[in-house]
Amino acid sequence: MNRRFKITALLFTTIAISAFAQDDKDSTKLWSRGGVVRLQFSQASLTNWAAGGESSIAGTSFLSLFANYAKGKVNWDNTVDLAYGLQKLGTGNWVKSDDKIDLSSKLGIKGKNAWFYSAQLSFKSQFAPGYKLPNDSVVIADFLSPAYVLASLGMDYKPNKDFSLLIAP
């Protein structure tokens, strides 16, 4: 490896960024919004290592956002989770280590106590092609292929703002 790559890799391995943002819930606001952004980098360099193993380098990004609405008997919870990661072991090729698109929207009408009559719609897919390893020329998945849409009706148990359990047959 050249020196510039080693210095760049060393800088990236020392960076781990995590951020959290959330609006304070005000009784006059109908929406609460927030999210988390995370970038992670790691590297392991093994030279003449008696115990064996391979050098590696990896990076992962993650974004999770939410926007929730509450007014009267209506609750509407929306989330977006996106993730993508790559890793390289030894002299091998870069391989996808994480790949996620996950969107969810749940609408609830207040029932009795902490129960809501709810409907949820969720969508799941991925960003980049997936390959059958070790032969990395055979594509087994691609952007929006596969893509899953799930619709469900059921009861949502929400005893507080931090917990929700949807029961949908």
Side-chain angles (χ1 to χ4, degrees), residues 40-43 56-61 83-89 93-99 128-129 131:
Q40 293 177 256
F41 299 96
S42 64
Q43 180 195 16
S56 66
I57 186 166
T60 303
S61 60
Y84 190 76
L86 294 172
Q87 70 178 4
K88 182 177 180 176
L89 297 173
N93 293 330
W94 285 94
V95 178
K96 182 170 61 169
S97 60
D98 197 359
D99 192 357
Y131 298 95

Side-chain angles (χ1 to χ4, degrees), residues 16-164:
I17 300 172
S18 252
F20 179 77
Q22 178 177 349
D23 289 343
D24 292 331
K25 184 144 185 175
D26 183 343
S27 61
T28 61
K29 289 185 180 178
L30 300 178
W31 288 92
S32 63
R33 297 175 302 275
V36 175
V37 177
R38 184 175 63 226
L39 299 173
Q40 293 177 256
F41 299 96
S42 64
Q43 180 195 16
S45 180
L46 306 174
T47 305
N48 293 328
W49 185 247
E54 290 187 276
S55 296
S56 66
I57 186 166
T60 303
S61 60
F62 177 76
L63 173 67
S64 179
L65 303 172
F66 70 88
N68 300 332
Y69 174 88
K71 182 178 181 185
K73 293 185 170 194
V74 176
N75 269 355
W76 184 23
D77 300 337
N78 301 280
T79 60
V80 175
D81 290 329
L82 307 172
Y84 190 76
L86 294 172
Q87 70 178 4
K88 182 177 180 176
L89 297 173
T91 59
N93 293 330
W94 285 94
V95 178
K96 182 170 61 169
S97 60
D98 197 359
D99 192 357
K100 174 171 78 167
I101 300 172
D102 192 348
L103 312 171
S104 180
S105 184
K106 179 174 57 176
L107 180 64
I109 307 296
K110 181 94 167 139
K112 190 171 183 179
N113 298 326
W115 290 93
F116 288 80
Y117 300 101
S118 296
Q120 181 172 349
L121 184 66
S122 60
F123 172 82
K124 297 177 188 291
S125 190
Q126 63 187 30
F127 289 104
Y131 298 95
K132 183 174 183 173
L133 297 175
N135 179 358
D136 62 358
S137 63
V138 179
V139 177
I140 58 173
D142 208 340
F143 178 65
L144 300 181
S145 175
Y148 303 96
V149 176
L150 175 68
S152 53
L153 294 173
M155 295 295 291
D156 190 17
Y157 177 65
K158 295 176 87 168
N160 58 52
K161 68 179 180 95
D162 298 319
F163 182 82
S164 174

